[in-house]
Amino acid sequence: MSGQHDKTSVAAISIFASGGMAAAKFVVGIAIGSLALISEALHSSIDLVATIITWAVVRVSDKPADDEHHYGHGKLESISALGVTALLYVLAGGILVESYSRLREGTPPPTISAVPFVVLVADIAVNLWRARALHRAARETRSQALAADALHFASDVMGSFAVIIGLVLAALGFWWGDAAAAAAVAVMIALLGLRMAGSTVQTLVDRAPEGAQEKATAAIRSVPGVIDVERLRVRMVGATTFIDTIAKVPRTYPIDRVEEIKRKAQAAVDKAFGDADLTFTPVPVARNNETVRDRIMVIARNSSLAIHHVTVHDLGAKLIVSIDLEVDAEMQLEAAHDVANTLERNIQEEFGEDVEVDVHIEPLEPELPFGVDAAPERVQAIAAALTEYAAGGEIHDIHNVRVRNTDAGEIVNFHCRATPSMSVIRVHEHVDAIERRLRRAFPSVKRVISHAEPPRA
């Protein structure tokens, strides 16, 4: 809310400054009969109207999005800037018509004194201060309305200098100096309006800011997991940069990993633009380095199937795939067989009809099976057996043995140590042999879960 407070404070101060200087120039202009000074007073009056509009608009433009304004209220600033531009053109046209009339009719020059010069110098000082303050606030808050206001006051300085030159020419005997200065003020107003209209219309038609697309694309591509940016659109609404992108991500990534990519992409564009609103649409694609196993896991995940122990054998002319498929333990065999057949067909569609697929159906373990810790004597007996089976082999230091009784049988967990240089497959073979001996010696053991780790340093 501090940014909105800065905008409204600066705009409110400008209202009082605009009103005071416009009134002073108008009164002095009427008193001495100077069209240039009156024109500059009218210009300041337009600025006063513009500042009041700006003050009102910035109080609304920072409101968050709602049910009717899904992109916020930022474009109210652009609409207000466009309205002020129209007022400037009306004023410039009127001044040019009056200047031409005075030059054609040879209107007498204004009465020259020190008063208009004092007013104009004070006006220049006030406008320089206002332009600087508004420009700084516009840059910090990225407000288009305040930027337009700052441009007004910067142009007022040039207009005041033109009026001073016109009055000096009139004092030197050049009767046309004041009317010519008024025409110069009109031209400056018209050029200002043209510049404002260009930037405002570009915002209203959703033209992307220069370089924004390249910067946003680079920011999103820098996020780990983003393979490429397929499409990206950028538009501004007030101070907020809205970015809509379709990005390619690996199809092997789980949903939570993709969500993490989206969060990191939002952080990346926030860092690049300050205030950004990102719509991120991930498109899962296959990477060149996907293995056969990766592709099979994707097929199963897309069907919400739990599979494990995927083995693939390449016989040259064909692939042999074996899979363990877990289904609800209470599911009827016919239904489970249909699930397995569907999985086989999906794999054949991916790899070709020649692929040979064998699916082993097994019951899915319950999520929270009931169980209690076994008696200490049972744990000690099983721990002693494990130590005996590991003796003399490459697996040693059997520890942290736990035994739990469940409705399906005993479950044994244990930790062991192995040589750090051993491959995973060798460790698995040795541990698997120990597990098989344990189940033969203790038929009630349903499952053995081991955890091998390197020796302690």
Side-chain angles (χ1 to χ4, degrees):
M1 295 298 291
S2 60
Q4 182 182 10
H5 176 73
D6 292 340
K7 288 197 288 186
T8 53
S9 297
V10 172
I13 294 173
S14 295
I15 291 176
F16 295 103
S18 296
M21 295 313 305
K25 286 186 288 187
F26 190 78
V27 170
V28 175
I30 291 292
I32 66 174
S34 170
L35 175 62
L37 194 53
I38 294 173
S39 299
E40 186 57 26
L42 292 174
H43 184 197
S44 295
S45 299
I46 294 295
D47 286 344
L48 175 61
V49 173
T51 306
I52 293 175
I53 294 175
T54 301
W55 180 78
V57 165
V58 296
R59 294 174 65 88
V60 178
S61 63
D62 277 347
K63 287 185 177 180
D66 53 34
D67 292 340
E68 296 180 349
H69 305 87
H70 298 175
Y71 292 93
H73 302 75
K75 282 198 174 179
L76 286 174
E77 295 192 11
S78 301
I79 295 174
S80 71
L82 202 61
V84 172
T85 301
L87 290 175
L88 289 175
Y89 274 114
V90 171
L91 174 61
I95 294 174
L96 283 174
V97 169
E98 182 64 22
S99 300
Y100 174 75
S101 175
R102 291 199 178 196
L103 289 171
R104 186 182 61 182
E105 297 173 3
T107 303
T111 303
I112 305 300
S113 67
V115 175
F117 292 99
V118 173
V119 171
L120 288 168
V121 169
D123 183 60
I124 289 172
V126 171
N127 283 332
L128 283 175
W129 171 81
R130 287 191 298 174
R132 182 180 178 184
L134 284 168
H135 180 71
R136 182 172 59 251
R139 185 176 64 250
E140 292 175 353
T141 61
R142 301 174 73 187
S143 168
Q144 191 174 39
L146 287 183
D149 231 5
L151 196 59
H152 287 168
F153 299 134
S155 68
D156 282 352
V157 173
M158 301 301 297
S160 296
F161 275 117
V163 175
I164 289 175
I165 293 173
L167 293 177
V168 170
L169 289 174
L172 295 176
F174 298 97
W175 63 270
W176 47 265
D178 183 64
V185 170
V187 170
M188 291 179 187
I189 294 173
L191 292 175
L192 168 65
L194 182 63
R195 180 177 175 182
M196 283 181 55
S199 62
T200 303
V201 169
Q202 287 179 3
T203 300
L204 289 174
V205 298
D206 289 333
R207 179 177 178 180
E210 186 176 354
Q213 186 176 36
E214 292 77 10
K215 185 162 66 171
T217 300
I220 294 173
R221 279 180 176 162
S222 69
V223 176
V226 174
I227 298 174
D228 196 10
V229 174
E230 184 174 297
R231 191 199 72 191
L232 189 139
R233 296 173 179 171
V234 182
R235 68 168 174 165
M236 293 292 299
V237 178
T240 304
T241 304
F242 284 86
I243 303 170
D244 180 357
T245 187
I246 297 177
K248 297 179 180 179
V249 299
R251 66 175 184 169
T252 55
Y253 281 8
I255 294 176
D256 56 349
R257 180 82 176 271
V258 175
E259 286 298 318
E260 180 65 21
I261 291 174
K262 291 171 66 173
R263 287 192 292 271
K264 289 182 177 179
Q266 178 66 63
V269 295
D270 279 339
K271 183 178 180 181
F273 292 92
D275 182 12
D277 188 305
L278 175 66
T279 299
F280 186 97
T281 304
V283 176
V285 296
R287 292 182 295 180
N288 295 332
N289 62 348
E290 277 188 5
T291 65
V292 173
R293 186 176 286 102
D294 288 335
R295 295 162 68 181
I296 292 173
M297 295 301 292
V298 169
I299 294 171
R301 187 175 66 241
N302 289 343
S303 300
S304 300
L305 299 178
I307 65 173
H308 65 277
H309 201 199
V310 179
T311 59
V312 181
H313 300 282
D314 187 354
L315 301 185
K318 66 188 309 186
L319 287 177
I320 307 296
V321 178
S322 300
I323 302 171
D324 286 353
L325 169 65
E326 298 183 46
V327 299
D328 186 350
E330 302 300 324
M331 180 181 291
Q332 294 183 354
L333 177 61
E334 183 178 9
H337 189 260
D338 289 340
V339 173
N341 282 342
T342 301
L343 176 60
E344 291 177 4
R345 286 196 302 270
N346 291 338
I347 293 174
Q348 288 172 342
E349 288 177 2
E350 175 77 13
F351 296 97
E353 292 295 332
D354 292 338
V355 66
E356 182 179 311
V357 185
D358 290 315
V359 178
H360 169 65
I361 302 173
E362 60 181 48
L364 183 67
E365 292 287 343
E367 185 176 356
L368 295 173
F370 174 78
V372 295
D373 289 333
E377 298 80 16
R378 183 66 171 177
V379 176
Q380 291 173 4
I382 291 178
L386 288 171
T387 301
E388 177 186 347
Y389 302 150
E394 297 189 73
I395 300 299
H396 59 279
D397 189 14
I398 303 294
H399 61 282
N400 198 15
V401 178
R402 288 150 290 152
V403 181
R404 295 178 178 88
N405 293 320
T406 70
D407 294 338
E410 289 178 310
I411 297 178
V412 176
N413 298 71
F414 71 92
H415 288 203
C416 61
R417 301 192 186 278
T419 305
S421 59
M422 285 181 66
S423 65
V424 173
I425 185 64
R426 282 188 59 196
V427 172
H428 182 269
E429 289 172 351
H430 286 280
V431 171
D432 195 42
I434 296 173
E435 293 176 0
R436 287 196 301 270
R437 292 187 64 182
L438 182 69
R439 282 196 296 271
R440 285 196 299 267
F442 298 86
S444 60
V445 173
K446 179 181 183 295
R447 189 177 181 189
V448 182
I449 304 169
S450 60
H451 173 73
E453 51 196 17
R456 285 175 292 194

